[in-house]
Amino acid sequence: MLKRFAETYLDRLQLPVAPRAEVIGRLASYDGLLMEAVGLSVPVGTMCRVGAGAGAIEAEVIGFRAGRTLMMNLGGPAALLPDAPVRPIGPPGEAQVGTALLGRVVDGAGRPIDGLGPIRGATNWPLAGKLQNPLDRGRVTEPLDVGVRALNGLLTIGQGQRIGIMAGSGVGKSVLLGMIVRSVKADVVVVGLIGERSREVTDFLETKIAGEARGRSVVVAVPANHSPVLRIRGAMRATAIAEAFRAEGKRVLLIMDSLTRVAHAGREIGLALGEPASARGYPPSAIAMLPNLIERAGADVNSGGSITAIYTVLADGDDGSDPVVDSARAILDGHIVLSRALAERGVYPAVDLGPSVSRVMSDIGAPDHLNAARVLRRHLATYEENRDLILMGAYRPGSEPALDQAIACYPAILEYIRQGADESIGLAEAVAELTGLFGDA
């Protein structure tokens, strides 16, 4: 009867769609983070739904082992049973981008979390970015005004530069980022809050990018209690959004807070896959992931747009030899080191000029500006070398003219670095003040 029904009725419909079997695997192992499925053959990166009904969760395929498919949980704890169904639901390969995202806050999966409804009118961009020809990467020749006097005058940032803010915990990285976001002269600001405290997400939105800055900003927020896969995807999504704006010819400021948390997520995944731990417990894949992410920023000669990227790097225990700090220092185009000693003396932002450097400043600064910056650095280095002698009273004024001059200039140097969190000092004003103080020396 069924055969006669198929021959008479279904054949008359002449449907262009051929029946296709659904691929379903079964959950064989689950330890709260890493899952193993059998009977599933899909590429790495495929998104899957594990379980059925309201208790189903999403997972991403991250590798294979002994005939089993390895997946990483993208949600929280789930009450899954053995042999739960595992269904592929599609690749994760694209991110929503475009002006429709301005003023919005999304999570690592691209879902809006700001309560403003769905995002409409967005276009798609590869989550892993588009491979760029090195010859299409433009030189950094124009300065970027970030509104912070110490950075504008002494560590001038260029459009298309990648720079890191390196410091231990509680030294003022987030405050400095907020000062930059409020004052920066950029068309679009993309902020990736990766692996930080949930409280800081609300605080950043209400205090750092409130008002006019909110309308030209996109925030990707993935707090520390989210899956390591989502944290990495959040960093990639923020970079993809910035790339799409750069392709439109816009000047984009990309802020990633923090690069260390992205490396931590890579460490969790690598160790779960059985990779051997090397330096400080980081598997090779976690450190190798950083250049792939950082190299996506920069200037584009074809569109005329640029991504100026600022990454915060957490130096655990104020250790400058931490593997993430050391790797980031080698990859980036400069680094800003914040000093706990300066912060304890009430100097904010606590920029330690000695180890800090902007590798493009010589290409974008005027000769008198560069000369004044060198003079200030020389006086500061002379003072710091003899700081113990000065504080103990062992130095007699007049013994060394260079040190006498450094002692006389030291209060002016600290005053130049010090700036209120709500102040905004433009590039021209910062350079004029610097050359006025130290330009004749």
PDB file of all heavy atoms in Angstrom, residues 137-158:
ATOM      1  N   ARG A 137      49.561  45.268   3.909  1.00  0.00           N
ATOM      2  CA  ARG A 137      49.601  45.864   5.233  1.00  0.00           C
ATOM      3  C   ARG A 137      50.296  47.224   5.141  1.00  0.00           C
ATOM      4  O   ARG A 137      51.447  47.320   4.733  1.00  0.00           O
ATOM      5  CB  ARG A 137      50.355  44.945   6.198  1.00  0.00           C
ATOM      6  CG  ARG A 137      50.508  45.455   7.621  1.00  0.00           C
ATOM      7  CD  ARG A 137      49.159  45.620   8.308  1.00  0.00           C
ATOM      8  NE  ARG A 137      48.387  44.418   8.319  1.00  0.00           N
ATOM      9  CZ  ARG A 137      48.530  43.433   9.205  1.00  0.00           C
ATOM     10  NH1 ARG A 137      49.440  43.518  10.136  1.00  0.00           N
ATOM     11  NH2 ARG A 137      47.753  42.376   9.149  1.00  0.00           N
ATOM     12  N   GLY A 138      49.585  48.272   5.485  1.00  0.00           N
ATOM     13  CA  GLY A 138      50.123  49.618   5.378  1.00  0.00           C
ATOM     14  C   GLY A 138      51.074  49.956   6.513  1.00  0.00           C
ATOM     15  O   GLY A 138      51.003  49.383   7.606  1.00  0.00           O
ATOM     16  N   ARG A 139      51.976  50.891   6.267  1.00  0.00           N
ATOM     17  CA  ARG A 139      52.877  51.375   7.302  1.00  0.00           C
ATOM     18  C   ARG A 139      52.124  52.283   8.271  1.00  0.00           C
ATOM     19  O   ARG A 139      51.114  52.890   7.933  1.00  0.00           O
ATOM     20  CB  ARG A 139      54.049  52.140   6.683  1.00  0.00           C
ATOM     21  CG  ARG A 139      54.984  51.301   5.857  1.00  0.00           C
ATOM     22  CD  ARG A 139      56.153  52.133   5.353  1.00  0.00           C
ATOM     23  NE  ARG A 139      56.956  52.655   6.467  1.00  0.00           N
ATOM     24  CZ  ARG A 139      57.177  53.942   6.685  1.00  0.00           C
ATOM     25  NH1 ARG A 139      56.651  54.862   5.880  1.00  0.00           N
ATOM     26  NH2 ARG A 139      57.920  54.340   7.720  1.00  0.00           N
ATOM     27  N   VAL A 140      52.657  52.387   9.469  1.00  0.00           N
ATOM     28  CA  VAL A 140      52.081  53.275  10.483  1.00  0.00           C
ATOM     29  C   VAL A 140      52.767  54.621  10.356  1.00  0.00           C
ATOM     30  O   VAL A 140      53.942  54.770  10.701  1.00  0.00           O
ATOM     31  CB  VAL A 140      52.269  52.691  11.888  1.00  0.00           C
ATOM     32  CG1 VAL A 140      51.676  53.627  12.937  1.00  0.00           C
ATOM     33  CG2 VAL A 140      51.645  51.311  11.992  1.00  0.00           C
ATOM     34  N   THR A 141      52.034  55.608   9.828  1.00  0.00           N
ATOM     35  CA  THR A 141      52.624  56.927   9.560  1.00  0.00           C
ATOM     36  C   THR A 141      51.854  58.069  10.198  1.00  0.00           C
ATOM     37  O   THR A 141      52.343  59.204  10.194  1.00  0.00           O
ATOM     38  CB  THR A 141      52.700  57.177   8.049  1.00  0.00           C
ATOM     39  OG1 THR A 141      51.380  57.069   7.475  1.00  0.00           O
ATOM     40  CG2 THR A 141      53.623  56.164   7.373  1.00  0.00           C
ATOM     41  N   GLU A 142      50.662  57.800  10.739  1.00  0.00           N
ATOM     42  CA  GLU A 142      49.835  58.853  11.331  1.00  0.00           C
ATOM     43  C   GLU A 142      49.609  58.568  12.804  1.00  0.00           C
ATOM     44  O   GLU A 142      49.295  57.438  13.189  1.00  0.00           O
ATOM     45  CB  GLU A 142      48.480  58.953  10.613  1.00  0.00           C
ATOM     46  CG  GLU A 142      48.568  59.355   9.152  1.00  0.00           C
ATOM     47  CD  GLU A 142      49.039  60.792   8.993  1.00  0.00           C
ATOM     48  OE1 GLU A 142      48.778  61.605   9.901  1.00  0.00           O
ATOM     49  OE2 GLU A 142      49.663  61.092   7.963  1.00  0.00           O
ATOM     50  N   PRO A 143      49.751  59.583  13.665  1.00  0.00           N
ATOM     51  CA  PRO A 143      49.504  59.351  15.101  1.00  0.00           C
ATOM     52  C   PRO A 143      48.010  59.244  15.392  1.00  0.00           C
ATOM     53  O   PRO A 143      47.171  59.735  14.628  1.00  0.00           O
ATOM     54  CB  PRO A 143      50.109  60.588  15.758  1.00  0.00           C
ATOM     55  CG  PRO A 143      50.027  61.651  14.717  1.00  0.00           C
ATOM     56  CD  PRO A 143      50.192  60.956  13.388  1.00  0.00           C
ATOM     57  N   LEU A 144      47.700  58.589  16.497  1.00  0.00           N
ATOM     58  CA  LEU A 144      46.329  58.458  16.964  1.00  0.00           C
ATOM     59  C   LEU A 144      46.222  59.150  18.316  1.00  0.00           C
ATOM     60  O   LEU A 144      46.957  58.824  19.252  1.00  0.00           O
ATOM     61  CB  LEU A 144      45.932  56.986  17.093  1.00  0.00           C
ATOM     62  CG  LEU A 144      44.509  56.716  17.590  1.00  0.00           C
ATOM     63  CD1 LEU A 144      43.495  57.119  16.529  1.00  0.00           C
ATOM     64  CD2 LEU A 144      44.329  55.241  17.948  1.00  0.00           C
ATOM     65  N   ASP A 145      45.317  60.110  18.418  1.00  0.00           N
ATOM     66  CA  ASP A 145      45.111  60.852  19.662  1.00  0.00           C
ATOM     67  C   ASP A 145      44.273  59.998  20.611  1.00  0.00           C
ATOM     68  O   ASP A 145      43.115  59.699  20.324  1.00  0.00           O
ATOM     69  CB  ASP A 145      44.413  62.173  19.362  1.00  0.00           C
ATOM     70  CG  ASP A 145      44.318  63.081  20.586  1.00  0.00           C
ATOM     71  OD1 ASP A 145      44.680  62.642  21.688  1.00  0.00           O
ATOM     72  OD2 ASP A 145      43.893  64.242  20.425  1.00  0.00           O
ATOM     73  N   VAL A 146      44.861  59.598  21.756  1.00  0.00           N
ATOM     74  CA  VAL A 146      44.146  58.764  22.722  1.00  0.00           C
ATOM     75  C   VAL A 146      43.716  59.534  23.961  1.00  0.00           C
ATOM     76  O   VAL A 146      43.104  58.961  24.868  1.00  0.00           O
ATOM     77  CB  VAL A 146      45.009  57.553  23.135  1.00  0.00           C
ATOM     78  CG1 VAL A 146      45.258  56.642  21.946  1.00  0.00           C
ATOM     79  CG2 VAL A 146      46.321  57.984  23.764  1.00  0.00           C
ATOM     80  N   GLY A 147      44.026  60.821  24.033  1.00  0.00           N
ATOM     81  CA  GLY A 147      43.546  61.644  25.135  1.00  0.00           C
ATOM     82  C   GLY A 147      44.295  61.479  26.437  1.00  0.00           C
ATOM     83  O   GLY A 147      43.889  62.053  27.446  1.00  0.00           O
ATOM     84  N   VAL A 148      45.397  60.717  26.462  1.00  0.00           N
ATOM     85  CA  VAL A 148      46.198  60.518  27.672  1.00  0.00           C
ATOM     86  C   VAL A 148      47.551  61.179  27.436  1.00  0.00           C
ATOM     87  O   VAL A 148      48.271  60.821  26.512  1.00  0.00           O
ATOM     88  CB  VAL A 148      46.368  59.020  27.998  1.00  0.00           C
ATOM     89  CG1 VAL A 148      47.188  58.831  29.270  1.00  0.00           C
ATOM     90  CG2 VAL A 148      45.008  58.353  28.137  1.00  0.00           C
ATOM     91  N   ARG A 149      47.899  62.149  28.278  1.00  0.00           N
ATOM     92  CA  ARG A 149      49.085  62.967  28.042  1.00  0.00           C
ATOM     93  C   ARG A 149      50.362  62.138  27.981  1.00  0.00           C
ATOM     94  O   ARG A 149      51.194  62.323  27.079  1.00  0.00           O
ATOM     95  CB  ARG A 149      49.201  64.019  29.141  1.00  0.00           C
ATOM     96  CG  ARG A 149      50.417  64.941  28.993  1.00  0.00           C
ATOM     97  CD  ARG A 149      50.315  66.110  29.947  1.00  0.00           C
ATOM     98  NE  ARG A 149      49.958  65.658  31.288  1.00  0.00           N
ATOM     99  CZ  ARG A 149      49.270  66.391  32.166  1.00  0.00           C
ATOM    100  NH1 ARG A 149      48.871  67.606  31.841  1.00  0.00           N
ATOM    101  NH2 ARG A 149      48.983  65.919  33.369  1.00  0.00           N
ATOM    102  N   ALA A 150      50.548  61.205  28.916  1.00  0.00           N
ATOM    103  CA  ALA A 150      51.775  60.413  28.941  1.00  0.00           C
ATOM    104  C   ALA A 150      51.926  59.573  27.684  1.00  0.00           C
ATOM    105  O   ALA A 150      53.036  59.405  27.161  1.00  0.00           O
ATOM    106  CB  ALA A 150      51.787  59.519  30.176  1.00  0.00           C
ATOM    107  N   LEU A 151      50.809  59.039  27.174  1.00  0.00           N
ATOM    108  CA  LEU A 151      50.876  58.222  25.958  1.00  0.00           C
ATOM    109  C   LEU A 151      51.044  59.096  24.726  1.00  0.00           C
ATOM    110  O   LEU A 151      51.847  58.783  23.834  1.00  0.00           O
ATOM    111  CB  LEU A 151      49.620  57.354  25.841  1.00  0.00           C
ATOM    112  CG  LEU A 151      49.302  56.426  27.014  1.00  0.00           C
ATOM    113  CD1 LEU A 151      48.164  55.496  26.651  1.00  0.00           C
ATOM    114  CD2 LEU A 151      50.529  55.641  27.429  1.00  0.00           C
ATOM    115  N   ASN A 152      50.292  60.186  24.632  1.00  0.00           N
ATOM    116  CA  ASN A 152      50.408  61.066  23.466  1.00  0.00           C
ATOM    117  C   ASN A 152      51.797  61.672  23.353  1.00  0.00           C
ATOM    118  O   ASN A 152      52.350  61.796  22.252  1.00  0.00           O
ATOM    119  CB  ASN A 152      49.366  62.185  23.551  1.00  0.00           C
ATOM    120  CG  ASN A 152      47.978  61.736  23.135  1.00  0.00           C
ATOM    121  OD1 ASN A 152      47.835  60.749  22.420  1.00  0.00           O
ATOM    122  ND2 ASN A 152      46.963  62.437  23.595  1.00  0.00           N
ATOM    123  N   GLY A 153      52.382  62.050  24.483  1.00  0.00           N
ATOM    124  CA  GLY A 153      53.653  62.741  24.431  1.00  0.00           C
ATOM    125  C   GLY A 153      54.866  61.839  24.426  1.00  0.00           C
ATOM    126  O   GLY A 153      55.838  62.103  23.705  1.00  0.00           O
ATOM    127  N   LEU A 154      54.834  60.752  25.207  1.00  0.00           N
ATOM    128  CA  LEU A 154      56.037  59.948  25.419  1.00  0.00           C
ATOM    129  C   LEU A 154      55.986  58.569  24.792  1.00  0.00           C
ATOM    130  O   LEU A 154      57.034  57.943  24.591  1.00  0.00           O
ATOM    131  CB  LEU A 154      56.281  59.807  26.927  1.00  0.00           C
ATOM    132  CG  LEU A 154      56.432  61.127  27.683  1.00  0.00           C
ATOM    133  CD1 LEU A 154      56.415  60.892  29.184  1.00  0.00           C
ATOM    134  CD2 LEU A 154      57.711  61.836  27.263  1.00  0.00           C
ATOM    135  N   LEU A 155      54.800  58.064  24.498  1.00  0.00           N
ATOM    136  CA  LEU A 155      54.640  56.745  23.878  1.00  0.00           C
ATOM    137  C   LEU A 155      53.594  56.859  22.770  1.00  0.00           C
ATOM    138  O   LEU A 155      52.596  56.139  22.770  1.00  0.00           O
ATOM    139  CB  LEU A 155      54.216  55.707  24.923  1.00  0.00           C
ATOM    140  CG  LEU A 155      55.202  55.447  26.056  1.00  0.00           C
ATOM    141  CD1 LEU A 155      54.521  54.710  27.208  1.00  0.00           C
ATOM    142  CD2 LEU A 155      56.390  54.644  25.553  1.00  0.00           C
ATOM    143  N   THR A 156      53.828  57.764  21.848  1.00  0.00           N
ATOM    144  CA  THR A 156      52.826  58.094  20.834  1.00  0.00           C
ATOM    145  C   THR A 156      52.388  56.855  20.075  1.00  0.00           C
ATOM    146  O   THR A 156      53.220  56.093  19.566  1.00  0.00           O
ATOM    147  CB  THR A 156      53.374  59.137  19.858  1.00  0.00           C
ATOM    148  OG1 THR A 156      53.948  60.220  20.606  1.00  0.00           O
ATOM    149  CG2 THR A 156      52.270  59.670  18.973  1.00  0.00           C
ATOM    150  N   ILE A 157      51.076  56.654  20.010  1.00  0.00           N
ATOM    151  CA  ILE A 157      50.482  55.498  19.334  1.00  0.00           C
ATOM    152  C   ILE A 157      50.085  55.903  17.922  1.00  0.00           C
ATOM    153  O   ILE A 157      49.520  56.981  17.709  1.00  0.00           O
ATOM    154  CB  ILE A 157      49.269  54.977  20.123  1.00  0.00           C
ATOM    155  CG1 ILE A 157      49.714  54.518  21.517  1.00  0.00           C
ATOM    156  CG2 ILE A 157      48.570  53.845  19.393  1.00  0.00           C
ATOM    157  CD1 ILE A 157      48.567  54.141  22.430  1.00  0.00           C
ATOM    158  N   GLY A 158      50.367  55.038  16.959  1.00  0.00           N
ATOM    159  CA  GLY A 158      50.031  55.316  15.563  1.00  0.00           C
ATOM    160  C   GLY A 158      48.804  54.546  15.112  1.00  0.00           C
ATOM    161  O   GLY A 158      48.452  53.513  15.683  1.00  0.00           O
TER     162      GLY A 158
END
